[in-house]
Amino acid sequence: MRMGQYLHAEGVDVSEVALAQARRSASERGVDERLVLIDRNVYVSAWCPVRLDVNDYYAEPEMGEARALDQLVETAEYAPEAQRARIQADAVCYARAVRTQEWPAMADGNGSSAPSVWSTDFRAAFRDLQGQPVFGMLIAADNKRSDEREERLTQATASIPSAILWFLLATLTITVIGLGICLPRKNNRGQVITLVVITALLTTTLCIIRDVDRPFGGIINVEPIAITEAGRQATRDFTANHPAAELPCDDQGNRRTI
């Protein structure tokens, strides 16, 4: 949400995660907001100088994940040479894997195992740092990254099963066919136009519902802007600190084979 205009929205169906995030965002911005939960329907009544930005809402976990990844890279500067190179290289490969493999998979509500390869390597590198002051900071940053990634994947999961959407589409089809059969055979221009308009509106509504329920593809289509920038900065730091070293992954975030 951004400063800009007054907001009054009602009847928004959201999850418990979205509720907690909405309350947290409202608290951070000093927004006077009333949330009433009735049968999992949230009625939001707010008169405040804000603008509801759906794209920004869904991008919040990615931005938190990118900040945590950037913190990992910066904190690694205080680690010994070998661990610093490994952590920073893993950060670059992690960002590439999220951007090129996991992000496209989220359009269908799925995740990818590619980023997990590098998050596992993070923890392997941390073991060699136990007992050092930098160890706690790296663990905290990695836990934050993991939490934000989990929330991002949760948002990508569709809340409306595909079976329900197909049922609604079948019901609409049967209804339209039935109404079409009942139309008079002559002087029916008005009825035909009305039926076509109603069919178009209902079909568009179903398409919008499906796309809004899948924010990483379709109409909303949240782009991996923050994680791409974090990967670019991590690449810059790795190259500056280790100009002769080679990254352990390709451009898609896949581990190189020796």
Side-chain angles (χ1 to χ4, degrees), residues 41-57:
N41 286 327
V42 179
Y43 293 85
V44 183
S45 296
W47 291 104
C48 51
V50 299
R51 180 174 66 84
L52 183 61
D53 193 323
V54 178
N55 197 290
D56 283 356
Y57 166 76

Side-chain angles (χ1 to χ4, degrees), residues 46-90:
W47 291 104
C48 51
V50 299
R51 180 174 66 84
L52 183 61
D53 193 323
V54 178
N55 197 290
D56 283 356
Y57 166 76
Y58 283 111
E60 282 188 13
E62 183 226 357
M63 290 188 288
E65 183 181 14
R67 286 192 295 267
L69 191 66
D70 186 61
Q71 185 178 355
L72 269 174
V73 174
E74 292 180 354
T75 305
E77 295 285 349
Y78 302 99
E81 174 68 20
Q83 285 75 30
R84 178 178 64 189
R86 184 176 181 180
I87 293 171
Q88 291 182 342
D90 287 347

Side-chain angles (χ1 to χ4, degrees), residues 10-251:
E10 294 187 351
V12 183
D13 185 14
V14 297
S15 64
E16 294 297 331
V17 174
L19 271 177
Q21 191 173 28
R23 291 192 180 102
R24 184 171 66 248
S25 298
S27 176
E28 292 174 354
R29 292 168 172 79
V31 174
D32 184 12
E33 174 175 75
R34 179 165 55 87
L35 299 177
V36 182
L37 179 62
I38 303 176
D39 295 332
R40 296 188 62 80
N41 286 327
V42 179
Y43 293 85
V44 183
S45 296
W47 291 104
C48 51
V50 299
R51 180 174 66 84
L52 183 61
D53 193 323
V54 178
N55 197 290
D56 283 356
Y57 166 76
Y58 283 111
E60 282 188 13
E62 183 226 357
M63 290 188 288
E65 183 181 14
R67 286 192 295 267
L69 191 66
D70 186 61
Q71 185 178 355
L72 269 174
V73 174
E74 292 180 354
T75 305
E77 295 285 349
Y78 302 99
E81 174 68 20
Q83 285 75 30
R84 178 178 64 189
R86 184 176 181 180
I87 293 171
Q88 291 182 342
D90 287 347
V92 174
C93 296
Y94 177 88
R96 289 180 177 181
V98 170
R99 177 175 56 85
T100 62
Q101 297 191 54
E102 189 161 69
W103 210 270
M106 289 194 305
D108 297 321
N110 302 318
S112 172
S113 60
S116 299
V117 172
W118 305 108
S119 61
T120 300
D121 207 58
F122 279 143
R123 292 185 288 273
F126 296 163
R127 294 193 194 101
D128 299 331
L129 299 172
Q130 292 187 33
Q132 299 190 28
V134 74
F135 178 75
M137 293 186 292
L138 289 171
I139 291 294
D142 188 57
N143 287 340
K144 176 65 174 176
R145 176 206 56 77
S146 179
D147 292 341
E148 295 291 356
R149 182 192 178 198
E150 182 178 354
E151 185 171 354
R152 169 170 58 77
L153 293 175
T154 299
Q155 288 187 347
T157 303
S159 59
I160 303 176
S162 298
I164 293 180
L165 291 175
W166 282 111
F167 172 77
L168 293 175
L169 182 60
T171 302
L172 174 61
T173 303
I174 294 172
T175 301
V176 170
I177 293 175
L179 292 175
I181 294 175
C182 296
L183 289 178
R185 297 293 180 267
K186 297 180 179 180
N187 300 323
N188 59 1
R189 177 178 296 181
Q191 292 91 331
V192 170
I193 293 176
T194 301
L195 181 61
V196 170
V197 170
I198 292 176
T199 302
L201 290 175
L202 292 177
T203 303
T204 302
T205 300
L206 288 178
C207 292
I208 292 175
I209 290 174
R210 182 191 180 280
D211 282 349
V212 171
D213 198 40
R214 293 163 174 79
F216 296 93
I219 296 176
I220 298 178
N221 195 24
V222 180
E223 298 289 346
I225 298 175
I227 201 70
T228 299
E229 177 61 19
R232 186 188 66 80
Q233 294 181 5
T235 303
R236 179 198 61 194
D237 292 344
F238 177 81
T239 303
N241 293 326
H242 316 282
E246 185 180 8
L247 287 169
C249 64
D250 58 20
D251 292 340

